[in-house]
Amino acid sequence: MTQDLQIEIISTGTIAPELDKQIDQLDLLAFADEKHDDPEFNSIDWSSHIEYMALGRVDNELVTLLGLLKREILVGEKPVWVAGVGGVATHPNWQKRGFSSTLLNASEKFMREEMKVPFGLLVCADERRSFYGRAGWKLIADKLFFIQNGERRSLKTSVMILPLSTEVWPSGEIDLRGLPW
């Protein structure tokens, strides 16, 4: 059924105000009922430095999306470039049709060929692990660190990577060196 999904990956700098409004509306609908086990979760500031949006449309209607950014993080003592994937969302009326999976697969090629990073990295709720696992993502940690307002904080969540090269993921704690996405 996903053959009707038209995918476009665009720079956030080229997003027109009307499309930006549609993206915000889809995010609100998709994440309206999301619950978090971490009491600190609602106090987290999320990065607004998303560089690309992957958009999926059916008959010109925006039905699914995700954001991408490129960042050098620290794993143990080693700097590692990643494509951060965040805000994977599908409109509730269009869920369970494989659209997010199709969008993730298209984004994988973009991360590898255009962003030229060795890994994709995302955080997700435990109940979403199997969804990302089916798309090739691997669980690597259940906590990471980030910087918010100059303070080092931790986030207890599933941390998953998508290998995009032959490079081996290093061992050690993960520091996003900025806000999570």
Side-chain angles (χ1 to χ4, degrees), residues 88-109:
V88 178
T90 299
H91 190 289
N93 294 343
W94 293 90
Q95 292 177 355
K96 308 288 186 213
R97 299 181 193 204
F99 292 147
S100 288
S101 297
T102 301
L103 197 60
L104 276 171
N105 289 337
S107 298
E108 177 180 346
K109 181 179 178 186

Side-chain angles (χ1 to χ4, degrees), residues 40-56:
E40 298 283 318
F41 192 88
N42 291 330
S43 68
I44 295 173
D45 291 333
W46 296 91
S47 179
S48 60
H49 184 66
I50 301 300
E51 297 170 58
Y52 301 97
M53 290 299 299
L55 307 171

Side-chain angles (χ1 to χ4, degrees), residues 31-145:
F31 294 111
D33 296 329
E34 190 169 282
K35 295 182 175 114
H36 306 284
D37 295 331
D38 187 345
E40 298 283 318
F41 192 88
N42 291 330
S43 68
I44 295 173
D45 291 333
W46 296 91
S47 179
S48 60
H49 184 66
I50 301 300
E51 297 170 58
Y52 301 97
M53 290 299 299
L55 307 171
R57 293 182 177 90
V58 174
D59 296 329
N60 285 328
E61 179 184 348
L62 182 63
V63 299
T64 188
L65 59 82
L66 63 82
L68 296 164
L69 62 83
K70 184 176 179 178
R71 186 184 295 171
E72 186 181 50
I73 65 170
L74 198 60
V75 183
E77 298 295 317
K78 184 176 180 183
V80 177
W81 281 98
V82 299
V85 174
V88 178
T90 299
H91 190 289
N93 294 343
W94 293 90
Q95 292 177 355
K96 308 288 186 213
R97 299 181 193 204
F99 292 147
S100 288
S101 297
T102 301
L103 197 60
L104 276 171
N105 289 337
S107 298
E108 177 180 346
K109 181 179 178 186
F110 184 83
M111 290 184 281
R112 181 181 289 114
E113 295 177 6
E114 302 297 324
M115 298 178 83
K116 300 185 185 316
V117 294
F119 302 99
L121 187 139
L122 61 78
V123 299
C124 66
D126 291 348
E127 59 270 10
R128 301 297 293 155
R129 279 192 216 172
S130 62
F131 167 76
Y132 291 110
R134 287 189 300 274
W137 293 78
K138 300 177 183 342
L139 181 69
I140 53 158
D142 61 3
K143 180 168 87 169
L144 54 71
F145 295 90

Side-chain angles (χ1 to χ4, degrees), residues 1 3 18 26 28 63 67 76 80 110 122 132 140 152 173:
M1 191 173 285
Q3 69 273 10
E18 180 57 36
L26 196 154
L28 286 173
V63 299
V80 177
F110 184 83
L122 61 78
Y132 291 110
I140 53 158
R152 188 172 195 254
E173 74 177 29

